[in-house]
Amino acid sequence: MKTIALQQPQKIVFGSGCINNFVEDFQKLGFKRLFILTAPPIRPLIADMQQQLEQMGVAMEVFDQIVAEPTVTDFKNILTKAQTFQADSVIGVGGGSVLDITKLVATLFYGKQQVEDCFGIGFIKEKGLWFACMPTTAGTGSEVSPNAILLDERDKLKKGIVSPFLMADVAYADPKLTLTVPAKVTADTGMDALTHCIEAYTNKFAHPMVDMYALKGIELLAKNLLRAVKDGSDLEAREACALGSLYGGLCLGPVNTAAVHALSYPLGGEYHIPHGLSNAILLPSVMKFNRPANLKKYAEVAVAMGAPVGKNDDETAQNGVDFIYQLSEAVGIPSKLTDIGIPQEAVPHLAKAAMEVQRLLKNNPREVTEQDAINIYNSLY
């Protein structure tokens, strides 16, 4: 069995209402200047937390204007605000973009490295400020991953930064924070989380220590996402999706994703399509492409999702692909790239850009050539 290194926060707190644990934990740390990153719809959800911190004598600065696909420039502006405030600690309460910026602000706070020099794996040299992540969507799993994504305006491509120093000191996953997420965002982010689990389980670097997270995540998300989309107040479904998302995040450090994510990056970089939606549209087509390269694993994915078992792995794996097509349609994911404003003439350029994401393409169970990428994109017209 090959060697693998698992990376995760020192402490993970999961459960409905665990936002209250944060205040108690934070008080013990003795920090006095907390920089909070969030989004306007989240402000009411953390008002009680802020009031308690204020009564404890904690000074706070809140930044809530993070855009859906943050750029290098966006990050630098926010970092300057945190530095001007003289933060001694940082917390992110929000979706994947909020958490990714939180990780980078805290880690690069002292200004010893430029973010452009950190794209790729392992280029951050040291830890920065103490920080915690509190997800409000069941999607990216960023709260427990060592990854952060930014849009680099120079070449209009989303790029990843991967480092153990981007691992949160504590992750607080409170499913109650996801109750107000709109149905469309629930669908997009839920399919993103499912993609993390499926790509982790089926890629070249899959490992039994990570497989258990991936398979359980697939099961939880496949069986509960439609419930959460149909009824956002269904706490049981929200809890299952939040846990599935967290399991997907735990897969990202040691195993990571593959071609779905690589092909989705240009959609975000060129057309500013939200990350979860990009992955959701591409997932069934990439699964169809990959299926012959690892029939056994794709059959096991199908079984975990609850798809019908066929007479052999080939048939079962195909049932799994069909299940994803059906789930995507049921939760309202568009089936065509034209539905999200991407013209077919853009395909050759998108494919060329996707080929730049070898960090992820090397993980894919089947080699993806530029022509393969063109064919996958074209299948979505």
Side-chain angles (χ1 to χ4, degrees), residues 44 86 152-153 157 162 193 241 244 271 317 321 333 362 366 371:
Q86 297 182 315
D152 188 348
E153 307 101 314
L157 189 63
V162 183
C241 289
Y271 293 94
V321 175
I333 302 298
K362 68 178 174 55
R366 182 178 174 187
Q371 186 59 51

Side-chain angles (χ1 to χ4, degrees), residues 129-203:
L129 298 180
W130 180 96
F131 72 98
C133 288
M134 201 175 285
T136 59
T137 62
T140 66
S142 182
E143 69 275 10
V144 293
S145 87
N147 305 357
I149 307 295
L150 280 180
L151 173 57
D152 188 348
E153 307 101 314
R154 295 174 301 182
D155 40 21
K156 295 183 180 178
L157 189 63
K158 290 172 72 175
K159 296 181 180 179
I161 300 173
V162 183
S163 167
F165 296 119
L166 288 178
M167 195 64 74
D169 290 280
V170 192
Y172 296 87
D174 186 342
K176 281 189 173 179
L177 292 178
T178 69
L179 288 172
T180 57
V181 176
K184 184 184 184 309
V185 178
T186 299
D188 292 351
T189 54
M191 292 300 291
D192 183 24
L194 186 55
T195 304
H196 293 158
C197 295
I198 291 173
E199 291 208 290
Y201 190 71
T202 56
N203 83 35

Side-chain angles (χ1 to χ4, degrees), residues 103-104 107-108 113-115 117-128 146 148 161-167:
K103 294 154 83 165
L104 291 169
T107 305
L108 299 177
Q113 289 182 272
Q114 293 299 307
V115 71
D117 299 328
C118 299
F119 288 121
I121 300 173
F123 293 113
I124 295 179
K125 294 174 182 173
E126 62 185 23
K127 182 173 168 50
I161 300 173
V162 183
S163 167
F165 296 119
L166 288 178
M167 195 64 74

Side-chain angles (χ1 to χ4, degrees), residues 4 47 49 172 204 238 256 283 303 310 341:
I4 191 167
M49 179 186 84
Y172 296 87
K204 284 181 181 175
R238 290 291 197 184
N256 219 335
L283 177 60
V303 172

